Amino acid sequence: MSDTEKKIADTRGQYLQAVSQGQRLTDAEWRNCRIVLTTERIALVGDSKRQIALSEIDRLTDRFDVNQQSAGVSEYVGFHVDDDVLLVTASNHAAFETDLYRAALDGAVVLAQHPALKGGVVQDTEWTKGRLKVSDETVRLALADGQAVDIDRADIGDLSVEEKQVSGAERTVIQVEHSEDDISVETHLAGEEFQATVLRTMLEDSAEANRADLDLSATEKRVIMALHSGVSPFDIPNFVGIDVEKTEAIFDRLVELDVISVLRERTEVALTTKGRRVAGDRMGEQ
């Protein structure tokens, strides 16, 4: 281990070689191992020792069910390295995933545009450098201008990925929607290929966990869109074209569905993560 390499985690788990040199191994089995994770590599120590340099990982996946052995495990990480795929599961898998994200991203410098959108409105914000810090709950971005942006992983309403020109190069841009002071904002992030791969995987997992799947009426969706665009709850009846009693009934239903939360009893509401997700889906339909 080099002077700069630091150990992040040391735990027990299993690994399964799903693909070797491009060939799917349908008879592969899980093997018990010790998992040592550092800032530079992951080592799997069992009957033999396997090492994967973090910089060599092409992408991560949460499912790659090559056979019944792999399908029978509920949580694992799939490491795609060249023509190989290695599946790894830890005894405390949620903690291991966070440690993996920390190993790959803590201290990484990325390009950020924050906020790129605010309340659904495009902002004239320049790209700037930022340094990442990952925890169980948040992704913190320390920007070069002194701003500290906290993206709550449980507050991510939507996420999309595009290839764009950023600072004179074609880059993968991760567009993540979250909230600041109860206002929907969108932060755009771009980095080196490996960092972008890990960051995208982590944020997609959070977005998927927060995904809204609700049966809402057209009027309820219009109320959500109005709140998303910054209309005051007091102005919803006139803005949407419904009476106060109907508005109150819709608010009650949306509170029950965890789409909005009450800030002041019967007077003020704000969209939750699920509500912002509905608004994002609605905007995509228009």
Side-chain angles (χ1 to χ4, degrees), residues 15 26 50 70 78 89 109 130 153 156 169 172 186 226 239 250:
Y15 74 89
T26 56
R50 303 285 303 274
S70 54
T89 183
V109 175
R153 292 170 60 182
I156 297 171
T172 299
E186 193 170 285
F239 189 87
I250 289 176

Side-chain angles (χ1 to χ4, degrees), residues 113-154:
Q113 189 181 32
H114 174 83
L117 279 77
K118 187 173 185 178
V121 179
V122 176
Q123 305 293 299
D124 185 21
T125 309
E126 297 291 334
W127 286 91
T128 187
K129 289 183 178 180
R131 190 175 297 275
L132 292 171
K133 180 73 174 178
V134 176
S135 72
D136 290 337
E137 295 83 21
T138 64
V139 177
R140 167 158 284 198
L141 190 64
L143 299 182
D145 62 5
Q147 286 189 80
V149 179
D150 284 337
I151 301 175
D152 186 342
R153 292 170 60 182

